[in-house]
Amino acid sequence: MLTLIAKILKVLNSEASPWQIGWAIGLGLLAGMLPFGFLTLLILLIVCLFTINLSTFLLMWGLCSGLMFIFGGALEALTWQYAQQPGLLQLLASTETLQLLHLHHTLVLGAFVLGLLLLLPIAWLGSLLVAQYRLRVMSKLQKLRIVQMLNATKLVQLYQKLH
C-alpha cells in the first residue's frame, strides 16, 4: 500500500503535464470498464502512441476493472433494455466492424458508451486536480521539515540520481 502511495506521489510530482495524467486517468477508466478484447488493445495502442502517463493508465485500468466486477451486471441489464430496439438489434447483428469490436455484446456496448461519455469529463477533472495539487499541496509538502530531512538523506539522493 505504501509503495502504491509513493508511486502516485511520484507521478503527481513528476514533470508530466496535468493533461498527460488526466488523459491517462480517462483512458484507464475506459479500458477498465471494457472486458479485455480488441477495443482494449486499441486503447492501449493510443496510450503508447501518445505521451500519456503509462503508470497512471495501468493503475486506473486495474482499479476500474475491479469496479466492473461489481457494477457490470447492472450496466449489462441497463444496456439490454435499450438494445431491444429492432433497428439497433439489426444494426448490431449485421455490421462486421461492430462484431469485430464485440459491440454486439450488451456489456461491451454499455461499457463503451458509458466510457466514451465519461472520457472527456474525467480527463479534464483529472488534469484540473493534478494542477491544483501541484499549485496548492505540493509546495506545502516540500516545506515540511520531515520531507526536507528525508530529501537530504544519501539514500534519497542516490534514488533520485538513478531515476
Side-chain angles (χ1 to χ4, degrees):
M1 183 67 172
L2 288 176
T3 56
L4 179 64
I5 293 171
K7 287 181 181 188
I8 291 170
L9 287 175
K10 183 179 177 184
V11 168
L12 290 174
N13 295 334
S14 71
E15 294 296 320
S17 78
W19 275 106
Q20 289 174 331
I21 299 170
W23 279 110
I25 293 169
L27 289 170
L29 173 96
L30 178 60
M33 292 178 74
L34 295 169
F36 189 79
F38 192 67
L39 278 173
T40 311
L41 292 175
L42 286 175
I43 294 168
L44 189 58
L45 179 66
I46 290 169
V47 168
C48 291
L49 288 177
F50 296 100
T51 54
I52 294 172
N53 191 287
L54 186 62
S55 60
T56 305
F57 169 77
L58 293 173
L59 175 69
M60 286 303 296
W61 185 4
L63 289 174
C64 293
S65 293
L67 288 175
M68 282 308 290
F69 281 120
I70 298 168
F71 299 113
L75 182 62
E76 186 174 17
L78 181 68
T79 308
W80 180 255
Q81 290 177 348
Y82 287 102
Q84 295 303 310
Q85 306 296 326
L88 183 60
L89 279 175
Q90 183 157 355
L91 174 72
L92 293 174
S94 65
T95 309
E96 290 86 15
T97 305
L98 295 178
Q99 290 179 2
L100 175 67
L101 298 175
H102 295 283
L103 289 173
H104 61 287
H105 295 290
T106 53
L107 177 62
V108 178
L109 179 64
F112 184 65
V113 170
L114 181 62
L116 283 181
L117 289 174
L118 293 175
L119 179 62
L120 192 57
I122 293 295
W124 176 78
L125 182 64
S127 67
L128 181 70
L129 290 175
V130 169
Q132 289 301 311
Y133 165 81
R134 288 179 179 174
L135 182 69
R136 297 176 187 214
V137 177
M138 190 169 85
S139 61
K140 290 179 184 176
L141 283 178
Q142 296 301 326
K143 291 178 184 176
L144 290 176
R145 187 151 179 90
I146 190 162
V147 173
Q148 291 174 351
M149 288 175 19
L150 285 173
N151 286 337
T153 63
K154 297 262 187 206
L155 183 63
V156 170
Q157 292 173 356
L158 179 65
Y159 179 76
Q160 289 174 344
K161 284 182 185 178
L162 292 175
H163 287 85

